[in-house]
């Protein structure tokens, strides 16, 4: 593509919530972008997408029909995670640029296949690591990289999600590892990516414990205890869902709470906490360096920085409260448009995707086996 292109055809694979959230932003940014084809096996998603797209795209019966079309230049994938690899590889083989939602894939072998196909194609790959684009996290990364707290020594971070959000996940396709990978991979791959970026290092070894303790059949009484929301919706069911199963009795094999520790090549040590039934949702970080500390939370938009010392002031570096993605979706769409038209490198692509996936998979191996897992085998899968 070039800046002079008068038309950029988009093929959409997976027309659900986060597919259309990014597609609609791209369409709003540059009139040259136009959706020419869509594929989604669920006709409700297709119908909703056609209602949002004014250009009457063709509805294809499989993803290959989308990627092979000559009027598709950019393939935008937001299907279930298990399909990301095949769909991305086929798009690269067809010579198309790819935007793919996170996580990159659900296995290390799939990440390696995607990396090979990307290299061979010479096309651009943008990964939907929305939070990398959020000004809140860009600010934290810049502060650490500029030495504002000295050398990073250790840190903690979390993603504790609202009980209704947790209920949605436990009733949705993501409740099963075969569709989405683990909860850590599906949801917290963002958070692991942020820490990979901020530490500017790769994990060396990891350990973890996790389990399913709240969204179990014996917990169903929480529905009655909490009662309907102020606007009359069932508790744990207020999020949009195509499936909408009872989150307590649904079949599932993901955790609803997990802790992990990571030691990085750089020597930095990190502790992570995830849970899915939170009363006080947070996406918080506490970063300790040799000269100071940063405490930040995306949900409140706060970033505090204080240098080690007797009466050092606490500096307010916060950028304020925004949406759940910290405004990252809009900036991601800006960069995706620029990358497609001008060939600029996206802020998150293949390397970031496979590093986050590998770290998440190793953490889950540690949780499933009860062992400390060294990362050598994972890093050895890539070149
Ligand atoms: N970047 C972010 O912050 C963010 C946030 C939420 C979700 N996501 C990611 O976006 C992707 C979609 O999640 P969602 O929240 O939009 O879910 P969703 O359930 O709203 O949409 C998923 C869609 O994929 C479709 N689908 C299933 N199998 C398919 C296949 N083989 N080919 C094409 N489409 C298929 C489903 O029918 C559904 O319409 C996931 O990978 C998820 O991890 C990213």
């Amino acid at each position: 593509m070039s800046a002079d292109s008068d038309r950029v055809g988009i093929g959409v694979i997976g027309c659900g919530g986060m597919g259309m959230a990014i597609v609609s932003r791209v369409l709003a940014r540059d009139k040259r972008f136009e959706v020419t084809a869509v594929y989604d096996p669920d006709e409700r998603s297709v119908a909703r997408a056609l209602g949002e797209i004014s250009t009457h795209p063709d509805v294809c019966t499989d993803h290959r029909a989308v990627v092979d079309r000559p009027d598709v230049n950019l393939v935008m994938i937001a299907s279930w995670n298990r399909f990301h690899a095949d769909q991305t590889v086929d798009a690269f083989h067809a010579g198309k640029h790819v935007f793919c939602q996170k996580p990159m894939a659900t296995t290390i072998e799939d990440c390696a296949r995607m990396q090979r196909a990307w290299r061979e194609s010479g096309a651009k790959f943008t990964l939907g690591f929305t939070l990398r684009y959020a000004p809140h996290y860009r600010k934290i990364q810049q502060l650490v990289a500029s030495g504002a707290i000295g050398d990073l020594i250790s840190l903690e971070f979390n993603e504790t999600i609202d009980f209704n959000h947790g209920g949605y996940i436990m009733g949705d396709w993501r409740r099963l590892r075969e569709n989405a990978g683990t909860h850590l991979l599906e949801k917290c791959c963002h958070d692991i990516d942020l820490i990979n970026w901020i530490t500017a290092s790769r994990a060396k070894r990891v350990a973890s414990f996790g389990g399913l303790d709240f969204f179990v059949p014996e917990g169903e009484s929480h529905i009655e205890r909490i009662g309907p929301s102020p606007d009359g919706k069932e508790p744990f069911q207020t999020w949009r869902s195509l499936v909408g199963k009872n989150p307590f009795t649904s079949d599932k094999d993901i955790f609803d709470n997990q802790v992990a520790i990571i030691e990085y090549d750089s020597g930095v040590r990190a502790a992570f906490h995830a849970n899915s039934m939170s009363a006080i949702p947070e996406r918080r970080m506490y970063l300790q360096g040799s000269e100071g500390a940063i405490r930040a939370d995306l949900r409140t938009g706060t970033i505090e920085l204080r240098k080690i010392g007797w009466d050092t002031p606490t500096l307010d570096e916060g950028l304020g409260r925004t949406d759940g993605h910290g405004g990252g979706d809009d900036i991601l769409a800006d960069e995706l448009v620029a990358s497609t038209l001008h060939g600029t490198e996206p802020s998150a692509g293949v390397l970031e995707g496979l590093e986050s996936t590998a770290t998440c998979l190793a953490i889950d191996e540690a949780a499933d086996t009860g062992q400390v897992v060294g990362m050598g085998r994972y890093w050895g899968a890539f070149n």
Side-chain angles (χ1 to χ4, degrees), residues 14 24 74 101 155 159 163 176 190 197 222 226 244 250 277 282 298 300 330 333 348 367 369 378:
S24 60
L74 169 66
Q101 269 300 353
L155 64 101
E159 188 190 18
F163 60 95
L176 297 171
H190 280 299
W197 180 40
H222 289 296
I226 292 173
S250 63
M277 73 303 281
E282 287 186 334
L298 178 72
T300 55
D330 287 323
T369 62
Y378 287 90

Coordinates of all heavy atoms in Angstrom, one line a residue, residues 14 24 74 101 155 159 163 176 190 197 222 226 244 250 277 282 298 300 330 333 348 367 369 378:
G14 N -14.3 -12.5 12.0 CA -14.7 -12.4 13.4 C -15.3 -11.1 13.6 O -14.6 -10.1 13.7
S24 N -14.5 -0.3 13.2 CA -15.3 1.0 13.1 C -14.4 2.2 13.3 O -14.5 3.2 12.7 CB -16.5 1.0 14.1 OG -16.0 0.9 15.4
L74 N -6.1 -5.5 3.7 CA -5.8 -5.6 5.1 C -6.8 -6.6 5.7 O -8.1 -6.4 5.6 CB -6.0 -4.3 5.8 CG -6.0 -4.2 7.3 CD1 -4.7 -4.7 7.9 CD2 -6.4 -2.8 7.8
Q101 N -6.3 -9.7 16.8 CA -6.6 -9.4 18.2 C -5.7 -10.3 19.0 O -5.2 -11.3 18.6 CB -8.0 -9.6 18.5 CG -8.9 -8.4 18.4 CD -8.5 -7.2 19.3 OE1 -7.6 -7.4 20.1 NE2 -9.1 -6.1 19.1
L155 N 8.7 -5.5 41.3 CA 7.4 -4.9 41.0 C 6.3 -5.8 41.3 O 6.5 -7.1 41.3 CB 7.3 -4.4 39.6 CG 7.4 -5.4 38.5 CD1 6.0 -5.8 37.9 CD2 8.3 -5.0 37.3
E159 N -4.6 -7.7 37.7 CA -5.8 -7.4 37.0 C -6.9 -8.1 37.7 O -7.1 -9.3 37.6 CB -5.8 -7.9 35.5 CG -7.1 -7.4 34.8 CD -7.3 -7.9 33.4 OE1 -6.8 -8.9 33.0 OE2 -8.2 -7.3 32.7
F163 N -17.0 -8.4 39.3 CA -17.7 -9.7 39.3 C -18.6 -9.9 38.1 O -18.8 -11.1 37.7 CB -18.5 -9.9 40.6 CG -19.5 -8.8 40.9 CD1 -20.9 -9.1 40.5 CD2 -19.2 -7.6 41.4 CE1 -21.8 -8.1 40.7 CE2 -20.2 -6.6 41.6 CZ -21.5 -6.9 41.3
L176 N -13.6 -21.9 28.2 CA -13.0 -23.1 27.8 C -11.6 -22.9 27.2 O -11.4 -22.1 26.2 CB -13.9 -23.9 26.8 CG -15.2 -24.3 27.4 CD1 -16.1 -24.9 26.3 CD2 -15.1 -25.3 28.5
H190 N -2.2 -9.1 28.0 CA -2.0 -7.6 28.0 C -1.0 -7.2 29.1 O -0.1 -6.5 28.9 CB -3.3 -6.8 28.4 CG -4.2 -6.7 27.2 ND1 -4.0 -6.0 26.1 CD2 -5.5 -7.0 27.2 CE1 -5.0 -6.0 25.3 NE2 -6.0 -6.6 26.0
W197 N 7.5 -5.2 28.4 CA 7.9 -3.9 27.8 C 8.6 -3.0 28.8 O 9.6 -2.4 28.5 CB 6.6 -3.3 27.2 CG 6.7 -1.9 26.6 CD1 7.6 -1.5 25.7 CD2 5.7 -0.9 26.6 NE1 7.3 -0.2 25.2 CE2 6.1 0.1 25.8 CE3 4.5 -0.7 27.3 CZ2 5.4 1.3 25.7 CZ3 3.8 0.4 27.2 CH2 4.2 1.5 26.4
H222 N -24.7 -16.8 45.5 CA -24.3 -15.4 45.3 C -25.3 -14.6 44.4 O -25.4 -13.4 44.6 CB -22.9 -15.3 44.7 CG -21.8 -15.7 45.7 ND1 -21.6 -15.1 46.8 CD2 -21.0 -16.7 45.6 CE1 -20.5 -15.7 47.5 NE2 -20.2 -16.7 46.7
I226 N -26.8 -11.1 46.0 CA -26.5 -9.8 45.4 C -27.8 -9.2 44.8 O -28.0 -8.0 45.0 CB -25.4 -9.9 44.3 CG1 -24.1 -10.3 45.0 CG2 -25.3 -8.6 43.5 CD1 -23.0 -10.6 44.1
G244 N -24.3 -16.5 27.2 CA -25.1 -16.2 28.4 C -25.4 -17.3 29.3 O -26.6 -17.4 29.8
S250 N -21.9 -23.3 34.6 CA -21.4 -23.6 33.3 C -20.2 -24.6 33.3 O -19.5 -24.6 34.3 CB -21.0 -22.3 32.6 OG -19.9 -21.7 33.3
M277 N -13.7 -12.0 40.3 CA -15.0 -11.7 41.0 C -14.8 -10.5 41.9 O -15.3 -10.5 43.0 CB -15.4 -13.0 41.8 CG -14.6 -13.3 43.0 SD -12.8 -13.6 42.8 CE -12.8 -15.2 42.1
E282 N -9.2 -3.5 39.8 CA -8.0 -2.7 39.7 C -7.2 -3.2 38.5 O -7.2 -4.4 38.1 CB -7.1 -2.9 40.9 CG -7.5 -2.2 42.1 CD -6.5 -2.3 43.2 OE1 -5.7 -3.3 43.2 OE2 -6.5 -1.4 44.1
L298 N -4.7 2.0 36.2 CA -5.4 2.4 34.9 C -6.8 2.8 35.2 O -7.4 3.8 34.6 CB -5.4 1.3 33.9 CG -6.1 1.5 32.6 CD1 -5.3 2.5 31.7 CD2 -6.4 0.3 31.8
T300 N -8.2 4.3 37.8 CA -8.4 5.6 38.3 C -7.6 6.7 37.5 O -7.7 7.9 37.8 CB -7.9 5.6 39.8 OG1 -6.5 5.2 39.8 CG2 -8.7 4.8 40.7
D330 N -8.3 4.0 20.2 CA -8.2 5.0 19.2 C -6.8 5.2 18.7 O -6.6 5.4 17.5 CB -8.7 6.4 19.8 CG -10.2 6.4 20.0 OD1 -10.9 5.8 19.2 OD2 -10.6 6.9 21.1
A333 N -5.9 2.3 16.4 CA -6.5 2.5 15.1 C -5.7 3.5 14.2 O -5.4 3.3 13.0 CB -7.9 2.9 15.2
A348 N 3.0 -2.8 18.5 CA 3.0 -4.2 19.0 C 2.8 -5.1 17.8 O 1.8 -5.0 17.1 CB 2.0 -4.4 20.1
A367 N 1.6 -23.4 36.9 CA 0.4 -23.6 37.7 C -0.2 -25.0 37.6 O -0.6 -25.6 38.6 CB -0.7 -22.5 37.3
T369 N 1.5 -27.7 36.8 CA 2.4 -28.8 37.3 C 2.9 -28.6 38.7 O 3.5 -29.5 39.3 CB 3.7 -28.9 36.4 OG1 4.3 -27.6 36.4 CG2 3.3 -29.2 34.9
Y378 N 10.9 -22.4 25.9 CA 10.0 -21.5 25.2 C 10.7 -20.6 24.2 O 10.4 -20.4 23.0 CB 9.2 -20.7 26.2 CG 8.1 -21.5 26.9 CD1 8.4 -22.2 28.0 CD2 6.8 -21.7 26.3 CE1 7.4 -23.0 28.7 CE2 5.9 -22.5 26.9 CZ 6.2 -23.1 28.1 OH 5.2 -23.9 28.7

